[in-house]
Amino acid sequence: MQLRYWKVRPYVLTAGRTRTRQPLLVHTLVSVPYYDAVFAAGLLPEARSLYEQARRTARSVAELSAVCGISLGVTRVVVDDLAATDRLLVHTDHDNVDFRLLERLRDGLRKLA
């Protein structure tokens, strides 16, 4: 019975939105500047998963999407929502590119192909 409505869940997570307030490309890095367990406990499971994964280390939007098993479009909107609460930091400084992360992303994409 639960599988009958599986397509509704992404709509619920994003409130029907498909656009973000800021540009979030697949390689955009995000992280959690300070972890708040109480805040995490109040999140929907998918948002909590993204928040927890970004807590460990700076991760790209694509990496979060893959690790959490959430579509890229939904990941972008939920990440944007978390960033709007100042609980998630979107790294816009392109001078500090983590090449190890980009290599991991490339290797992961190669495995998918």
Side-chain angles (χ1 to χ4, degrees), residues 26-110:
V26 294
H27 62 275
T28 301
L29 297 177
V30 296
S31 65
V32 174
Y34 59 92
Y35 180 74
D36 183 350
V38 175
F39 174 75
L43 295 172
L44 292 173
E46 294 84 355
R48 184 179 321 119
S49 178
L50 292 168
Y51 184 68
E52 296 281 347
Q53 289 297 324
R55 163 189 179 197
R56 296 187 176 101
T57 184
R59 293 201 175 214
S60 71
V61 172
E63 190 175 16
L64 284 174
S65 174
V67 168
C68 296
I70 303 170
S71 74
L72 185 58
V74 172
T75 298
R76 289 175 61 240
V77 172
V78 174
V79 162
D80 189 54
D81 289 346
L82 290 170
T85 66
D86 293 328
R87 305 296 181 135
L88 196 84
L89 177 63
V90 176
H91 300 272
T92 56
D93 184 10
H94 298 293
D95 295 332
N96 294 328
V97 175
D98 183 351
F99 288 103
R100 291 177 304 173
L101 173 66
L102 291 176
E103 289 170 356
R104 285 194 331 251
L105 180 61
R106 179 198 64 206
D107 294 342
L109 290 171
R110 283 185 179 158

